[in-house]
Coordinates of all heavy atoms in Angstrom, one line a residue:
D24 N 11.2 -60.4 43.7 CA 11.8 -61.4 44.5 C 13.1 -61.9 43.7 O 13.0 -62.3 42.5 CB 10.9 -62.6 44.6 CG 11.4 -63.6 45.6 OD1 12.7 -63.9 45.5 OD2 10.7 -64.1 46.4
R42 N 18.1 -78.9 24.0 CA 18.2 -78.5 22.6 C 19.5 -77.8 22.1 O 19.4 -76.6 21.9 CB 17.0 -77.8 22.1 CG 16.8 -77.6 20.7 CD 16.5 -79.0 19.9 NE 15.4 -79.6 20.5 CZ 14.0 -79.4 20.1 NH1 13.9 -78.5 19.1 NH2 13.0 -80.0 20.6
G50 N 13.3 -62.7 27.9 CA 12.8 -61.3 28.1 C 11.7 -61.2 29.1 O 10.9 -62.2 29.2
A92 N 5.6 -57.7 20.7 CA 6.1 -58.5 19.5 C 5.9 -57.6 18.3 O 6.7 -57.5 17.4 CB 5.5 -59.9 19.4
A166 N -7.4 -72.3 43.7 CA -7.6 -71.1 44.5 C -6.6 -70.0 44.0 O -5.6 -70.4 43.3 CB -7.4 -71.4 46.0
R183 N -12.3 -78.1 54.3 CA -12.5 -78.6 55.7 C -14.0 -78.9 55.9 O -14.4 -79.9 56.6 CB -12.0 -77.7 56.7 CG -10.5 -77.7 56.8 CD -10.0 -76.6 57.7 NE -8.6 -76.8 58.1 CZ -7.8 -75.9 58.5 NH1 -8.2 -74.7 58.8 NH2 -6.5 -76.1 58.8
R187 N -12.3 -82.8 54.7 CA -10.9 -83.0 54.3 C -10.0 -82.5 55.4 O -9.9 -81.3 55.7 CB -10.6 -82.3 52.9 CG -11.5 -82.8 51.8 CD -11.1 -84.2 51.4 NE -12.1 -84.9 50.6 CZ -11.9 -86.1 50.0 NH1 -10.8 -86.7 50.2 NH2 -12.9 -86.6 49.3
C206 N 0.7 -67.7 49.4 CA -0.2 -68.9 49.3 C 0.4 -70.0 50.2 O -0.4 -70.6 50.9 CB -0.3 -69.3 47.8 SG -1.2 -68.2 46.8
A210 N -0.6 -72.8 54.2 CA -0.8 -74.3 54.2 C -1.0 -74.9 55.5 O -0.2 -74.6 56.5 CB 0.5 -74.8 53.6
W212 N -1.0 -78.1 56.0 CA -0.2 -79.2 56.1 C 1.1 -79.0 55.4 O 2.1 -78.5 56.0 CB -1.0 -80.4 55.5 CG -0.2 -81.7 55.4 CD1 0.8 -82.1 56.3 CD2 -0.5 -82.8 54.5 NE1 1.2 -83.4 55.8 CE2 0.5 -83.8 54.8 CE3 -1.3 -82.9 53.4 CZ2 0.6 -84.9 54.0 CZ3 -1.2 -84.1 52.7 CH2 -0.3 -85.1 53.0
M224 N 9.0 -78.9 32.7 CA 8.8 -77.5 32.3 C 9.6 -77.2 31.1 O 9.1 -76.6 30.1 CB 9.1 -76.5 33.4 CG 8.2 -76.5 34.6 SD 6.7 -75.6 34.2 CE 7.3 -73.9 34.4

Side-chain angles (χ1 to χ4, degrees):
D24 189 318
R42 190 64 59 85
R183 281 176 171 161
R187 299 290 165 175
C206 289
W212 176 27
M224 290 284 283

